[in-house]
């Protein structure tokens, strides 16, 4: 690959990253907390690419003025083809991962510890991954007897329906699936919804339903379920 192509690749990677930051599509790949680092990286790449291009243009002009021609003007087209997929990253955005693209979390006995109390209120909103962790590892049993509100998408099994969220720790490469089995009076209405329907549900976690035999997936007795719009950012953290 020629120096000119290398410089253009460097510049285009930086510009593609900047476009994804402006459009917000970077959230399909990484968690929001990485925004400052991505912004710095994009700025550095664009700056380095521009500096390298300007330097090479000046060198070429000086060589031309001094008649120093070495006959290296022919450049292979193969290197330029690398620019096509890099440019497409900024404008052809793949959808965020869903249940089919997220790996099942490895099952191991969690270390039990005391969790902070749940928010006050009749049915406070709690993230689904937090509920899964509390059900498996909270030594204070903070979920016992408490109605809570969860948001997620429907996930149908052979004989049950779950509420699920795709969880990422750092980026989409480490995506895992957090899920809760649903039962109770409103569970049949949840099952009537198609796969990947986003719902806000209210209910209580069944005590002792999170155990190793089922991968520490708790069961929730659902009392109400309301369809909601799919959020702009579908990941949980």
């Amino acid at each position: 690959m020629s120096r000119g192509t290398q410089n253009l690749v460097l510049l285009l990677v930086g510009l593609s990253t900047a476009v994804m930051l402006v459009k917000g599509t970077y959230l399909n790949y990484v968690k929001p907390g990485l925004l400052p680092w991505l912004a710095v990286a994009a700025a550095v790449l664009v700056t380095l690419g521009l500096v390298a291009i300007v330097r090479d243009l000046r060198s070429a002009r000086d060589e031309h003025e001094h008649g120093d021609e070495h006959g290296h003007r022919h450049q292979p087209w193969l290197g330029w083809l690398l620019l096509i997929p890099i440019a497409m990253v900024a404008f052809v955005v793949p959808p965020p991962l869903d249940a089919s693209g997220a790996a099942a979390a490895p099952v191991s006995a969690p270390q039990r510890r005391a969790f902070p109390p749940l928010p006050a209120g009749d049915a406070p909103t709690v993230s689904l991954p937090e509920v899964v962790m509390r059900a498996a590892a909270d030594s204070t049993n903070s979920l016992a007897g408490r109605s809570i509100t969860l948001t997620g998408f429907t996930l149908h099994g052979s004989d049950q329906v779950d509420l699920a969220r795709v969880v990422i720790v750092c980026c989409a490469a480490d995506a895992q699936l957090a899920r809760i089995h649903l039962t109770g009076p409103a569970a049949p209405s949840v099952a009537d919804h198609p796969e990947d329907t986003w719902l806000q549900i209210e209910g209580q976690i069944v005590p002792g339903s999170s155990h190793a035999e089922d991968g520490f997936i708790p069961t929730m007795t659902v009392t109400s379920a309301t369809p909601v719009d799919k959020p702009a950012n579908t990941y949980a953290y």
Side-chain angles (χ1 to χ4, degrees):
M1 185 188 302
S2 67
R3 278 187 56 86
T5 306
Q6 292 175 6
N7 296 338
L8 284 176
V9 169
L10 189 65
L11 177 61
L12 197 53
V13 170
L15 291 175
S16 298
T17 303
V19 170
M20 288 190 290
L21 296 180
V22 172
K23 295 171 63 177
T25 54
Y26 76 99
L27 292 173
N28 289 4
Y29 307 99
V30 299
K31 62 191 301 183
L34 294 179
L35 174 59
W37 300 103
L38 289 174
V40 171
V44 170
L45 290 173
V46 170
T47 301
L48 290 176
L50 289 174
V51 169
I53 291 173
V54 170
R55 182 186 59 190
D56 287 352
L57 290 175
R58 288 178 177 176
S59 298
R61 183 188 61 187
D62 292 341
E63 290 178 1
H64 178 74
E65 291 176 351
H66 291 86
D68 188 12
E69 300 291 342
H70 298 289
H72 298 302
R73 298 300 181 185
H74 177 71
Q75 306 294 349
W77 284 100
L78 183 60
W80 290 90
L81 295 178
L82 293 174
L83 302 178
I84 298 175
I86 296 174
M88 291 181 64
V89 169
F91 302 103
V92 182
V93 183
L97 294 176
D98 56 14
S100 61
V107 178
S108 59
Q111 182 68 38
R112 292 188 63 82
R113 65 186 189 276
F115 279 66
L118 289 172
D122 294 334
T125 298
V126 187
S127 73
L128 193 150
E130 180 183 345
V131 171
V132 172
M133 289 299 300
R134 283 178 180 267
D138 186 10
S139 60
T140 67
N141 297 319
S142 59
L143 293 172
R146 290 292 305 272
S147 293
I148 55 176
T149 302
L150 302 178
T151 300
F153 57 85
T154 55
L155 186 62
H156 292 272
S158 57
D159 57 352
Q160 64 187 23
V161 61
D162 294 350
L163 195 74
R165 291 294 297 267
V166 176
V167 185
I168 64 175
V169 177
C170 176
C171 61
D174 59 31
Q176 297 179 349
L177 188 65
R179 60 200 296 176
I180 291 177
H181 299 320
L182 303 181
T183 187
S189 66
V190 175
D192 290 338
H193 290 286
E195 185 95 348
D196 200 30
T197 300
W198 282 82
L199 300 175
Q200 185 178 79
I201 66 173
E202 184 177 325
Q204 294 186 6
I205 296 296
V206 177
S209 60
S210 176
H211 45 77
E213 291 76 9
D214 193 26
F216 295 101
I217 301 174
T219 298
M220 184 176 191
T221 301
V222 185
T223 55
S224 67
T226 305
V228 295
D229 293 332
K230 184 177 182 178
N233 182 8
T234 59
Y235 294 139
Y237 308 98

